[in-house]
Amino acid sequence: MSKLGQAKRIIFLKTADGQLFEVDEPVAMEFEIVKSFFDENEDAADDTVVPLPNVSAEPLAGIIEFCKAHVEFRANGAAGKDEVKKFNAEYIKEKSNEQLKELILAANYLNIKEMLDFLTETIANRLKNKSVEYVRAFFGIENDFTPQEEEAVRKEYEWAFEGVDED
Amino acid sequence: MEEKMKNLKILETRQGFHFPHDVVHDILSKVSAKSLIRFKCVCKLWFTTISESTFEEIHLQQQMSKIMIINHVDNSKTYCVEEEGIIPGKHVVGLKSNNLLLYEDSLLNCKRLYVYDTFTQRHKLLPCITFRHGCSFVYDASTQIYKVVVFRDEFYGSTSNTRRLTCCIYSLDYERWLEDEEWRQLKAPVSQILVSCTSPKFLKGILYWLSRRSAVTNGLDVAFIQPLEIATEKYQEIIKLPYLNYSLHGFNNINLSEIKGLLCLMNPASVFEFDIWVLKDSIRSLWIKLHTISLVTMVDRPSWLGNFHGEEFSPCLVLEGCNNKLTYILFQSYGRELHWHKIDHRRIDIA
């Protein structure tokens, strides 16, 4: 119970792998998809479970952690400060590329703009100085150029292929 | 329904992740131009996306927003830092190398140099070095050591009234942040008495700067570019400037920068014209004039800009689009405000 005597509302979210998450309302409302669910179903019961068929438990837990911290930053007037940058840097430091990809797909589906911005920036940084082959593997993209076509592009922009990190 | 989802899941795992294209678009807009050009090779869809002119503009806007304005701890000074380069200018020594930033505080006589770790937010004061000119902060990838390169006045001769410049290097090992090193003095290139060194630019392991040496015979100073290989700390052959009748008013508004992986030189050709050159071949000192900005036809000319001499128009860095169509230069006005100038591009092939 909060000081005002109002119950702190909890939102129930169910992931693709069947896990039930209980999330504080302000945090859940960061997810545009959850927000519009309740906007469209105004008379939804308090114990309504929102299904998230495209998100599994692991990335969702990570997303909740991120959004919770950012909701608090905003409440404390710390948005945009060094504190936030530090949190973001720590948050992403231990995440593998696979985890990062899971997170970005989930954040995109849940439609969380701030987090998506941060994640795309992080991926862009990780692709810095990386080879074409690395990028293909990273995104799971198949090369659809013929060897001749690819060679032509490489030749035209030879300078951009210098000083690339080893895979 | 559940069965269908299960199948979908299996399909996804087998084929790897499928990023929605708008997410890919968003990621690409945040990648540097050089990487983007390389990534044209990834697949046909990426080639098309990156080649679109609307994408080029979005990308450039994104890159511009990345140029950070960093406030020093006491908030009394502002440093402008590009992600991978320096914005030279009288009050700016800030240079970012990975997550480290070099800056100076502005006490009147002894400007102290600091390295700031933007990640851990630690500051490190470097040992004092007096009579200092020009300053650059580079990362030697082969040894994973950061180096601060400065020039200082050295007075010599029997009465110590003759002045020349020497190059000094400070090495910083990130893993041994707390240990203090000493400045090391680098022997000057043979038989050269350097009197001026400005506008350092670090490119592919080599640090370039504009130098002047006093000429003993005819009294005319000679200007040139001096390269220094950072890993070995060896000077390389000097590079001649692309013009001979260089007026010796110093290097106020001449700068070195980078275009298409090549060294570029920006300088006023006359009061009304401003040239941008790229170095095609450093051994033969072969330059190509890439562009001339004419004051008369300059698009969106700021009202205060009356000529290209003096300090009104100090070019800082070049930002290129990924398709050879758009180029912006960032310049500092007299009041130290930063402006972007869009160059209307005629496609020039420098390959």
Side-chain angles (χ1 to χ4, degrees):
Chain A
M1 297 285 273
S2 74
K3 278 177 194 160
L4 292 168
Q6 263 179 334
K8 204 160 114 188
R9 193 174 171 202
I10 300 285
I11 306 284
F12 298 94
L13 306 174
K14 194 175 181 188
T15 59
D17 43 354
Q19 281 212 39
L20 195 66
F21 280 79
E22 297 179 15
V23 188
D24 289 345
E25 188 185 7
V27 177
M29 288 308 154
E30 291 285 292
F31 311 166
E32 202 52 48
I33 197 169
V34 174
K35 192 168 175 292
S36 48
F37 177 88
F38 283 102
D39 286 348
E40 282 160 25
N41 306 287
E42 276 178 10
D43 43 2
D46 274 357
D47 57 355
T48 305
V49 175
V50 184
L52 301 174
N54 286 343
V55 183
S56 52
E58 200 196 317
L60 185 64
I63 285 177
I64 291 170
E65 180 198 350
F66 183 90
C67 291
K68 197 167 175 232
H70 278 255
V71 165
E72 277 165 22
F73 286 138
R74 249 174 282 144
N76 303 333
K81 298 255 173 69
D82 283 351
E83 210 181 314
V84 182
K85 279 187 205 150
K86 209 168 178 176
F87 170 84
N88 286 354
E90 281 296 332
Y91 177 83
I92 216 68
K93 209 168 134 192
E94 301 298 322
K95 301 270 186 292
S96 69
N97 282 345
E98 291 310 308
Q99 285 172 315
L100 197 57
K101 285 190 264 187
E102 294 266 13
L103 280 174
I104 205 163
L105 288 175
N108 183 54
Y109 171 74
L110 297 170
N111 199 357
I112 315 165
K113 195 170 178 316
E114 189 184 1
M115 188 171 187
L116 204 54
D117 256 359
F118 167 64
L119 293 173
T120 50
E121 181 79 48
T122 307
I123 292 196
N125 280 337
R126 288 196 185 181
L127 296 181
K128 198 171 139 185
N129 283 334
K130 291 290 187 288
S131 72
V132 171
E133 291 73 20
Y134 180 96
V135 173
R136 279 183 196 137
F138 187 98
F139 286 95
I141 294 175
E142 241 171 84
N143 178 15
D144 54 359
F145 284 112
T146 64
Q148 291 83 358
E149 284 171 333
E150 185 176 341
E151 193 50 40
V153 182
R154 279 182 190 258
K155 227 179 153 113
E156 186 176 354
Y157 304 105
E158 226 174 339
W159 66 273
F161 289 86
E162 290 167 10
V164 173
D165 293 351
E166 292 201 8
D167 294 342
Chain B
M1 176 74 189
E2 275 207 18
E3 190 59 38
K4 201 177 161 192
M5 285 232 331
K6 222 172 168 181
N7 287 340
L8 212 80
K9 184 91 190 151
I10 292 165
L11 200 74
E12 268 181 14
T13 343
R14 201 186 316 133
Q15 296 195 338
F17 289 88
H18 282 270
F19 273 66
H21 196 61
D22 53 342
V23 174
V24 172
H25 195 278
D26 202 23
I27 293 170
L28 290 181
S29 74
K30 292 170 181 173
V31 168
S32 75
K34 185 180 171 186
S35 294
L36 270 185
I37 291 166
R38 198 166 58 244
F39 297 167
K40 281 182 178 183
C41 272
V42 168
C43 65
K44 285 180 177 167
L45 180 62
W46 281 35
F47 185 88
T48 318
T49 304
I50 298 169
S51 302
E52 277 166 11
S53 57
T54 46
F55 177 78
E56 187 170 22
E57 185 69 52
I58 291 169
H59 174 250
L60 277 171
Q61 296 295 339
Q62 185 67 251
Q63 297 298 307
M64 285 179 191
S65 71
K66 267 196 195 169
I67 288 174
M68 291 182 287
I69 309 290
I70 291 183
N71 288 313
H72 175 30
V73 260
D74 61 9
N75 284 326
S76 63
K77 251 170 93 42
T78 305
Y79 297 89
C80 310
V81 179
E82 192 213 3
E83 204 198 10
E84 299 171 300
I86 187 168
I87 299 180
K90 281 202 160 169
H91 293 256
V92 183
V93 297
L95 163 62
K96 207 172 176 218
S97 192
N98 298 339
N99 56 323
L100 298 188
L101 172 77
L102 180 75
Y103 69 90
E104 71 178 7
D105 69 6
S106 51
L107 288 173
L108 278 174
N109 288 321
C110 181
K111 290 180 178 166
R112 291 176 300 182
L113 285 173
Y114 292 84
V115 176
Y116 174 55
D117 185 339
T118 54
F119 185 65
T120 60
Q121 305 187 359
R122 297 178 294 185
H123 296 262
K124 181 185 176 71
L125 172 64
L126 303 187
C128 187
I129 181 158
T130 50
F131 307 113
R132 178 166 55 79
H133 301 250
C135 195
S136 38
F137 189 38
V138 296
Y139 179 62
D140 176 9
S142 62
T143 54
Q144 298 184 330
I145 288 190
Y146 294 86
K147 288 178 178 176
V148 182
V149 183
V150 305
F151 298 92
R152 65 185 299 258
D153 283 328
E154 186 190 12
F155 299 94
Y156 66 104
S158 52
T159 51
S160 289
N161 58 358
T162 321
R163 182 182 76 96
R164 68 179 166 204
L165 285 181
T166 50
C167 177
C168 297
I169 299 181
Y170 182 89
S171 301
L172 174 69
D173 185 342
Y174 188 71
E175 299 301 320
R176 294 186 293 163
W177 177 268
L178 293 172
E179 289 175 27
D180 282 323
E181 294 283 326
E182 292 294 320
W183 288 95
R184 285 173 293 115
Q185 191 168 320
L186 202 63
K187 265 188 103 159
V190 192
S191 78
Q192 284 179 21
I193 301 167
L194 301 182
V195 292
S196 170
C197 295
T198 46
S199 186
K201 175 71 198 169
F202 186 56
L203 192 63
K204 294 178 197 161
I206 296 178
L207 183 67
Y208 298 87
W209 64 84
L210 284 164
S211 297
R212 241 176 338 136
R213 69 165 179 251
S214 54
V216 195
T217 47
N218 57 6
L220 283 174
D221 286 1
V222 181
F224 55 92
I225 290 169
Q226 177 67 65
L228 171 72
E229 193 179 25
I230 287 302
T232 58
E233 298 182 6
K234 291 246 181 340
Y235 292 102
Q236 298 193 328
E237 279 292 304
I238 62 164
I239 299 164
K240 289 182 201 139
L241 296 184
Y243 40 88
L244 289 168
N245 53 343
Y246 177 67
S247 64
L248 296 166
H249 299 306
F251 300 113
N252 280 340
N253 46 1
I254 301 180
N255 265 311
L256 298 179
S257 191
E258 176 186 350
I259 292 185
K260 303 197 190 340
L262 300 172
L263 188 70
C264 106
L265 176 85
M266 301 186 277
N267 79 292
S270 71
V271 175
F272 303 110
E273 279 187 329
F274 195 90
D275 288 340
I276 299 174
W277 300 81
V278 289
L279 181 64
K280 188 69 202 306
D281 180 341
S282 60
I283 294 160
R284 288 184 292 152
S285 298
L286 180 63
W287 294 83
I288 294 173
K289 195 194 280 183
L290 195 64
H291 200 85
T292 298
I293 303 172
S294 159
L295 198 65
V296 186
T297 57
M298 194 175 168
V299 188
D300 300 328
R301 173 161 65 101
S303 54
W304 49 263
L305 182 62
N307 72 69
F308 286 132
H309 273 176
E311 285 183 43
E312 284 95 38
F313 189 82
S314 177
C316 301
L317 64 96
V318 180
L319 200 59
E320 296 165 275
C322 45
N323 295 321
N324 238 338
K325 291 195 184 99
L326 284 172
T327 306
Y328 283 89
I329 50 175
L330 180 66
F331 62 92
Q332 233 178 346
S333 73
Y334 191 63
R336 313 219 179 286
E337 276 173 69
L338 296 167
H339 301 263
W340 286 104
H341 172 65
K342 187 171 172 177
I343 298 176
D344 51 340
H345 225 282
R346 291 161 291 148
R347 189 188 156 138
I348 300 165
D349 200 6
I350 56 165

